[in-house]
Amino acid sequence: MKTIKDPVFTIEKKASRLGLFLRWLLGIIYGLVLGLIGFIAGFAMCIQFFYILVMGKRNQRVAEFIEGYVTYTMKVSAYMSYVTDERPPFWPEKL
């Protein structure tokens, strides 16, 4: 199998039908996880807004949580849109 190297993503030239089916099933799990974490991240963004409004600075822990969510969303989006074959973990590493 020929592998295409990109600075960010790795793609195999040949795709399997089983891998395609598995990707759809994993999409359901990723959707549930992203929905749950997205709800919490939305709430965290509201907290961050009022924290900045009152304190005049960012809460580092909340900012890192939101950054972890955005990074995980990007990895899942790349996998589900067939940009990469590298499967993201079921739960984000950095939250």
Side-chain angles (χ1 to χ4, degrees), residues 2-37:
K2 184 168 174 125
T3 301
I4 300 171
K5 283 289 192 183
D6 185 89
V8 180
F9 302 111
T10 303
I11 299 175
E12 291 184 13
K13 195 81 164 162
K14 186 175 180 179
S16 71
R17 291 181 182 99
L18 181 61
L20 179 68
F21 180 69
L22 181 64
R23 200 175 288 225
W24 275 87
L25 291 177
L26 290 174
I28 295 169
I29 297 169
Y30 288 132
L32 292 172
V33 170
L34 280 173
L36 173 68
I37 298 172

Side-chain angles (χ1 to χ4, degrees), residues 38-54 62 65-66:
F39 178 77
I40 297 168
F43 187 67
M45 287 179 208
C46 291
I47 291 172
Q48 184 78 304
F49 172 78
F50 287 111
Y51 188 87
I52 294 171
L53 193 64
V54 172
V62 174
F65 174 79
I66 295 169

